[in-house]
Every structure is written in C-alpha cells, then in structure tokens.
Amino acid sequence: MAVALSATACTNDADRDSDPDLDGGTRAAPQVVWHACDDAVEATFLSKHRCGTLTVPQDRGDPDRGTLDLPVLQTWPVGVEPEPGLGTSFGANVGDPANFTGGAAMGATRLRHVGVQLGMRGTFPSTPDLTCPELDALSDRAAAVPDADRDLRSAFLEGVRRCASRLRAGGIEPANFDAAAAAADVDDLLSAMGADSWWMAGSYGTQSRVLFRYLHDFPGRLDGAFLDSPWFPHTDDLTGGALGTRSALDELFTACTKDERCASRYPDLEAAWERALLRTARTPLQGVGRNLDRDRVRVLVDDAKLLRFARYSLGGDGSANLRWLPRIITNAASGRLDNHLADLVASDPLFCAGYRPLCIQPASFAWGVFFTSLCHDQLPGLDEVALRSAVDGDPAYEQVFARSPYRGACEEWATPGQASPPPPDPDGTPLLFIPGQFDAFARPEWSQQHASAWVTAWLFTAPNNTHNTLGFDECGLGVRNAWVRTPTTPPDPGNCAARPELEFK
C-alpha cells in the first residue's frame, strides 16, 4: 500500500512560543521527541530514518483533558540529495493502521525529498488506538448467515455499545477523533518541524476527508497535494456508496463489451448481473470457502452480500479481485457459488466488504475512528431524499445502504455531530486527483466535477485500476512524480510509463 510521502528535515530548530487551540486559548508549542524505532519498524529499513512521538491534546476544545501520543516516521531519499521543502502524508483509509515500514524510503526517493509521516489519532500504532476487540469474534458468524440476520446485527450493536463504554470508562471520548482534530494534529506536526507550510501532501482513499478539512481550517499552510482515490467530504458513505457502486458496475459492463475475451465468455454481463441479484434474493448461494488461514468456512451469499462483494471487487486494494468479477456474476446468475467469491466471504472481517475499501489486518482496524467519521462527520449532513434516490427501490441497495448496520451503530456510538462538514475548497492550492477507472469508492466523475470547477485542480484517471492507484503499477506514479515538479500545470498523461493490462478470468 502506498502511504509514504516525501518531506524534508525540519527547516530550523526553533520552537514556537505558543500555539493556538481551537477554543482560542494557547498552549506550549508542539514538539517531536525523537527516539529509537520499535524493532518491528527497524527490521524493515536499510536506509536513513528516525522515529519520534508527537504528543497532542485528546480534546482540542479542552487541552487539560488528557493527551495522545502519535508516532512520527522520518525517512530520507536514497542515492539523491534531498531537495528543499517539507511534505507530509495524511495516511490511509479512515481506521486503517499506518504503514510504518522501510517502504517509506521508496516514496521519499521517488519525490526526492525527506518524508515525515504522522500516525493518525486513534489508529495503530498511535496511543491509545480505537480498536474494538468486542467485535472481532463476530466475523466467523457473519460468513454463514444472511446480510440482514437479526441475531448478528444485535450482537454487532451490543459489541459497539460495549466498545464505546470501555473507551469512555478509560477516559477516552470517541467524539474527539474526528477529521477536524486529525487535521489539527497535522498542523501541530508542521509547527514541531519548524516550518510555516507544507511543500506537498498526499492522501489515500477516505482519509482525504482530513486533507480537505486541513485546507479549510488551515488555509495557506499547504502548497500542493495529490489525492489517491479521493473521497469528497460532502458525500456521505451511504449515498456515495450506492451511487459509486452503480457507476463502477456500468464501467465494468462497458469494459467487458469492449474486451474480446470478456465479451465472448460473458455476453451481456449487465443482464447477468440483474439475474444474479434476483436469483440470490430468492435462493441464496451456499457452500464452503477458505479464509486467510486456509480453514474451511461455511458461507451464504444473498443479494445484499453479492452487491457488497461486487463493490469490494471494484473498489478494493488493486485489481486482483476485479478480474474474477464477471465470472462471479455469471455463476451467481446460474445459481452457482464461485470459489473465489466463497473465499472472499470466508475471509471478510465483520461488515467490511462493500463498506470499506480495504479488508485486511482486522485486529488493527480502528473501528472507533471509522464510527466517528461516519456518525460525527457525515450523518449530520445525510440527505434522506438523496439516499432514497440513489437506492432507487432496489432491494439489495436498500439493504446494504439505506439499512446499513452502521446507522444503528451510530446510535450506540453516541457521537452525534452538529452539522455537515464544510464544503471542499482548495483556495488556490494545486491538487491532483488520481482515482482508478473502476473504483466503486472514489469515482472519476466525482473528481472530474471538482477539477472542472477549481482552477488549480486536475484529474488523472488511472486506467484499469481500482483503489490505491499508486500502490500497484508505475502508471499513476509516473504521472504523479512528474506533476509534483510543476504542480501549477496540468498532469501529463504521457508520463504513464506503461498502461497496466487487465485480463478477466
């Protein structure tokens, strides 16, 4: 997964005397305390780097109510002299753990700057992290029951309730882990590194919400940014999920008709999809799959699960699952459970596929940050009419998005927001959007809409790609690497070194 972004070492060692809080008060200037890296991090490096900790207030409105320790990783490019300027990364999808490994040096080398990466509040390896072990045991149950199984959903809500209670009993208020607080953490890092603005920043997936919040709350502090698989803050996960899935499926159907191999094996894939939804609604597919440990697991796939795993295949990390999707759809339309689909269902963490782009490392996933993002930052602006329009009366879409288990989870999480997030506005900051052609989570047309409206924003759609466009081939990387040299000009598609191939199974 591509998470590292370049940054220089600090431009000076002077600390600011004070730093404003969100409530207008002041506190001591932020500092990074440098120390030895953990053994797990150290084992991945062969090049120059260092590790540190940035301590920030848990409650930005009341700095006296405890602190959080956020890890910092600084890496140097290999074989080249670092260029001036300071950059950072806004990290991976909301809730996913930070990737603090030697791979960060590769990103620094590509961009010819030193990189500084901050572990986002609430996510591993920050302290504390908002994981919910109360939910881990439910994944095995989910594979073999319908999507709407009442007992599973009741157990899920009870687990959410117990997780929230445990955190609050330990002095952790989940509402403090929203996009505004995370954006302020990034600005604390800027202050601690002794700089007035970032040269460049990157974000990946749904974490772009924090980058847009940073642009809003700290104007003039960011000189440019590239956004891999961007998600825009005014689009909630439920409405955007329904719209994005429909659009990505249409992209797949069109691509299949234009691909000789796909068209000959799976003629009229769109009609097969409609038959598959109807058939699995009447008679769910049942069988056995193998999880990541290769254990045999009983699985059941109804229409809602089929929709969820179709979205996951279109929007998951890389295009490996996408290659199987036409075959999965065709088999389901004939009442057959495809082996690849069975393995995906057997390996899926609880309510992940179809709701989150990445479904690995479940024990390290920060459920609490994910819940707060949805419940505190998004649902206050939910337009029920728009959601109903996106669902459009389709029973599977109704079940997955309008009756999402996460809506009930928000009641148990108890972090209601007061208003919808501020609209995205780059305020003249150059931005490059890099969505994948088939991504069901970050549709290219959404990026195109904003790129057309903003003078200094541009779009490059990564061909034959899904989510995490910078993590699987050199095409998007080549375009990005050239663009950051002259970010006030449009990207050159000619810098896509080689268009990646997509061969359907």
Side-chain angles (χ1 to χ4, degrees):
M1 138 179 162
V3 297
L5 178 93
S6 62
T8 62
C10 49
T11 55
N12 62 68
D13 295 326
D15 292 316
R16 298 173 185 175
D17 294 332
S18 62
D19 186 61
D21 291 313
L22 297 184
D23 65 354
T26 58
R27 61 184 174 88
Q31 293 185 349
V32 174
V33 177
W34 301 103
H35 51 70
C37 297
D38 291 344
D39 290 345
V41 174
E42 196 66 42
T44 68
F45 271 95
L46 295 173
S47 59
K48 184 179 178 181
H49 64 285
R50 64 175 176 169
C51 297
T53 298
L54 176 71
T55 300
V56 300
Q58 182 198 152
D59 185 345
R60 286 281 171 179
D62 186 357
D64 294 328
R65 299 186 65 180
T67 59
L68 309 173
D69 289 336
L70 309 184
V72 177
L73 174 65
Q74 186 171 11
T75 54
W76 276 256
V78 178
V80 296
E81 186 69 20
E83 296 184 6
L86 181 65
T88 192
S89 169
F90 282 78
N93 285 296
V94 170
D96 285 339
N99 188 23
F100 276 25
T101 69
M106 184 179 298
T109 302
R110 284 190 173 115
L111 298 178
R112 303 177 188 177
H113 290 72
V114 179
V116 180
Q117 183 179 347
L118 180 69
M120 290 294 165
R121 61 170 52 210
T123 62
F124 181 83
S126 298
T127 305
D129 64 67
L130 270 61
T131 54
C132 287
E134 295 85 353
L135 300 174
D136 291 346
L138 297 177
S139 294
D140 291 342
R141 292 173 55 181
V145 298
D147 186 80
D149 184 79
R150 290 185 179 181
D151 290 342
L152 178 64
R153 290 205 173 201
S154 294
F156 172 60
L157 297 181
E158 175 60 24
V160 174
R161 184 184 307 114
R162 288 191 289 113
C163 182
S165 296
R166 174 179 53 80
L167 290 170
R168 289 189 169 104
I172 304 301
E173 173 48 56
N176 292 329
F177 293 77
D178 61 356
D185 295 341
V186 174
D187 204 60
D188 275 3
L189 179 62
L190 176 68
S191 176
M193 297 301 292
D196 295 322
S197 67
W198 300 108
W199 158 73
M200 185 66 62
S203 71
Y204 164 43
T206 52
Q207 199 70 13
S208 57
R209 295 181 185 280
V210 179
L211 190 151
F212 282 115
R213 187 65 190 237
Y214 188 81
L215 287 169
H216 177 272
D217 291 353
F218 302 97
R221 307 274 184 95
L222 181 56
D223 299 336
F226 57 86
L227 294 81
D228 179 342
S229 313
W231 189 281
F232 297 90
H234 61 290
T235 303
D236 66 89
D237 283 355
L238 304 179
T239 308
L243 294 173
T245 303
R246 291 188 187 281
S247 174
L249 281 168
D250 287 343
E251 185 73 26
L252 171 66
F253 301 148
T254 299
C256 187
T257 61
K258 294 180 179 179
D259 183 276
E260 182 177 350
R261 176 188 177 94
C262 188
S264 62
R265 293 190 174 194
Y266 312 110
D268 203 351
L269 186 61
E270 184 172 5
W273 169 248
E274 297 299 330
R275 293 197 306 273
L277 288 178
L278 291 172
R279 184 155 192 161
T280 52
R282 294 193 306 266
T283 308
L285 308 174
Q286 298 189 59
V288 175
R290 292 190 180 273
N291 62 20
L292 296 178
D293 293 326
R294 304 308 297 163
D295 298 326
R296 291 167 61 86
V297 177
R298 297 290 304 177
V299 302
L300 179 148
V301 179
D302 57 13
D303 57 336
K305 275 194 184 177
L306 183 63
L307 175 62
R308 284 175 49 206
F309 281 88
R311 187 188 187 204
Y312 177 65
S313 298
L314 289 159
D317 222 23
S319 60
N321 291 322
L322 172 61
R323 300 173 189 273
W324 296 91
L325 189 53
R327 196 182 82 174
I328 288 173
I329 291 172
T330 303
N331 280 338
S334 299
R336 297 189 299 269
L337 176 63
D338 190 89
N339 289 337
H340 189 75
L341 175 59
D343 290 347
L344 288 177
V345 176
S347 304
D348 189 45
L350 179 64
F351 295 131
C352 182
Y355 294 113
R356 290 157 35 199
L358 194 61
C359 294
I360 60 175
Q361 298 179 285
S364 300
F365 179 69
W367 284 97
V369 178
F370 180 81
F371 290 145
T372 298
S373 174
L374 178 66
C375 309
H376 184 274
D377 291 350
Q378 300 177 48
L379 290 193
L382 179 66
D383 184 337
E384 292 285 357
V385 174
L387 176 58
R388 289 291 170 186
S389 177
V391 167
D392 196 26
D394 187 298
Y397 282 83
E398 176 81 21
Q399 175 62 31
V400 172
F401 299 110
R403 294 199 293 269
S404 164
Y406 291 107
R407 300 191 73 173
C410 284
E411 296 181 14
E412 305 299 339
W413 198 244
T415 56
Q418 301 301 314
S420 58
D425 181 4
D427 193 32
T429 301
L431 302 178
L432 175 61
F433 305 133
I434 317 174
Q437 177 184 349
F438 294 97
D439 192 357
F441 286 83
R443 293 302 301 143
E445 61 265 26
W446 300 345
S447 291
Q448 180 60 62
Q449 177 185 357
H450 291 288
S452 299
W454 297 335
V455 175
T456 56
W458 292 279
L459 165 71
F460 174 74
T461 299
N464 291 335
N465 216 323
T466 56
H467 204 74
N468 190 2
T469 58
L470 301 181
F472 289 91
D473 61 67
E474 294 295 320
C475 176
L477 284 171
V479 173
R480 189 244 4 222
N481 294 348
W483 177 80
V484 299
R485 316 297 296 177
T486 55
T488 58
T489 61
D492 181 0
N495 288 308
C496 170
R499 180 186 176 96
E501 298 297 325
L502 177 61
E503 184 175 304
F504 294 105
K505 297 293 184 178

